[in-house]
Amino acid sequence: WQGASSCLGKDFDVWVCNWISGKENVEAGAVELHTFIQSKIAYRDAGLPPLDKISILAHSYGGLISRAYLLHRRAGDWSDDPDVSKVVMLSTPNCGSHAADLGIWGGWAPGLESEDALRCLNTAWVQSVFNRYCNDMFPAVPYYLFGATGGYGSGLYFTPWWLLYNWPTGTVNPNDGVVTAMSACGYRWVRTGNLVQERQVGGATTLTGDDHSTITSSPTTLSQARSILLGGALPGGPAF
């Protein structure tokens, strides 16, 4: 997040949440996010005015954790936390990732995945469980969803893009090497005789040419995220 902090730090007080490992389940991650926010508020200068609003910029699994955190907020939990004004998600598997189905969320590099995270990233669980109880088809907080299509150029750290590109069989899915652009933008494939696309998570969408790693440091992508956080809009979204 060094590039993002540098880009956004000109306009915002940037808090990088290093309390979340990415190996916990999504509910534990939501609690950790709340605890992190409270810790940052506790160390603010007492002479500053109360902090009433924050925005969230999340990458990958962090987007699902952010959605779970907001579900708690809608239920009235953690009311001492500032309101969230908007959420920007970069390559978040909003409909799961087939890489998790295959047990290789961490790519071909061993030891990067955990059973807790894999369960919470599995396409069936995200689509049939998480997206039902964490219903964000019409999110109360504005969502801005970035999908990425540069997976074909990724190294061995990433799942080979072709494992995602033609899954389910008969479909075409540009991806960043870990998450398909369609999942990042809130769409899933469902079979109703034929395979059709169905949206489960709402919000403005756009695509970048990044891979799953470079999307957090791409000057173009970060410039778009900065514009959104300053009150701008995304360029025209993809037509899935």
Side-chain angles (χ1 to χ4, degrees), residues 95 127 167-173 182-183 186-200 240:
C95 288
Q127 294 173 20
W167 184 88
T169 302
T171 66
V172 173
N173 296 284
M182 197 165 81
S183 177
Y187 291 81
R188 67 171 180 167
W189 286 106
V190 293
R191 188 176 293 281
T192 57
N194 297 318
L195 278 167
V196 297
Q197 297 157 342
E198 176 185 84
R199 194 159 197 197
Q200 285 197 312
F240 285 115

Side-chain angles (χ1 to χ4, degrees), residues 144-165:
Y144 299 86
L145 313 178
F146 284 70
T149 61
Y152 58 86
S154 300
L156 289 177
Y157 173 84
F158 296 97
T159 307
W161 67 276
W162 45 265
L163 286 177
L164 307 180
Y165 192 79

Side-chain angles (χ1 to χ4, degrees), residues 78-221:
W78 307 330
S79 58
D80 288 343
D81 288 6
D83 290 338
V84 177
S85 61
K86 59 189 68 174
V87 179
V88 179
M89 300 185 210
L90 308 178
S91 286
T92 288
N94 281 306
C95 288
S97 173
H98 189 47
D101 300 345
L102 297 170
I104 51 173
W105 171 255
W108 297 129
L112 294 181
E113 60 277 330
S114 74
E115 288 300 319
D116 279 347
L118 285 175
R119 281 192 295 270
C120 294
L121 292 158
N122 175 276
T123 55
W125 186 83
V126 175
Q127 294 173 20
S128 300
V129 179
F130 183 73
N131 284 347
R132 291 186 184 278
Y133 76 75
C134 192
N135 188 336
D136 284 329
M137 187 57 215
F138 302 100
V141 172
Y143 284 176
Y144 299 86
L145 313 178
F146 284 70
T149 61
Y152 58 86
S154 300
L156 289 177
Y157 173 84
F158 296 97
T159 307
W161 67 276
W162 45 265
L163 286 177
L164 307 180
Y165 192 79
N166 291 127
W167 184 88
T169 302
T171 66
V172 173
N173 296 284
N175 63 83
D176 64 7
V178 177
V179 178
T180 64
M182 197 165 81
S183 177
C185 292
Y187 291 81
R188 67 171 180 167
W189 286 106
V190 293
R191 188 176 293 281
T192 57
N194 297 318
L195 278 167
V196 297
Q197 297 157 342
E198 176 185 84
R199 194 159 197 197
Q200 285 197 312
V201 180
T205 63
T206 195
L207 297 183
T208 80
D210 305 312
D211 67 30
H212 197 69
S213 177
T214 60
I215 196 169
T216 63
S217 58
S218 162
T220 300
T221 300

Side-chain angles (χ1 to χ4, degrees), residues 11-134:
D11 304 288
F12 304 97
D13 184 9
V14 177
W15 301 343
V16 178
C17 182
N18 51 13
W19 290 34
I20 297 172
S21 69
K23 295 185 177 183
E24 57 274 278
N25 65 58
V26 69
E27 178 64 21
V31 173
E32 288 166 351
L33 179 55
H34 158 64
T35 305
F36 169 77
I37 290 169
Q38 283 295 309
S39 76
K40 298 301 289 187
I41 291 173
Y43 283 100
R44 290 184 82 234
D45 189 326
L48 292 172
L51 183 64
D52 58 355
K53 282 190 179 296
I54 60 173
S55 294
I56 296 175
L57 175 64
H59 173 237
S60 192
Y61 187 33
L64 296 187
I65 288 171
S66 299
R67 289 176 55 199
Y69 168 80
L70 288 170
L71 179 65
H72 277 277
R73 297 300 307 279
R74 292 197 296 271
D77 300 333
W78 307 330
S79 58
D80 288 343
D81 288 6
D83 290 338
V84 177
S85 61
K86 59 189 68 174
V87 179
V88 179
M89 300 185 210
L90 308 178
S91 286
T92 288
N94 281 306
C95 288
S97 173
H98 189 47
D101 300 345
L102 297 170
I104 51 173
W105 171 255
W108 297 129
L112 294 181
E113 60 277 330
S114 74
E115 288 300 319
D116 279 347
L118 285 175
R119 281 192 295 270
C120 294
L121 292 158
N122 175 276
T123 55
W125 186 83
V126 175
Q127 294 173 20
S128 300
V129 179
F130 183 73
N131 284 347
R132 291 186 184 278
Y133 76 75
C134 192

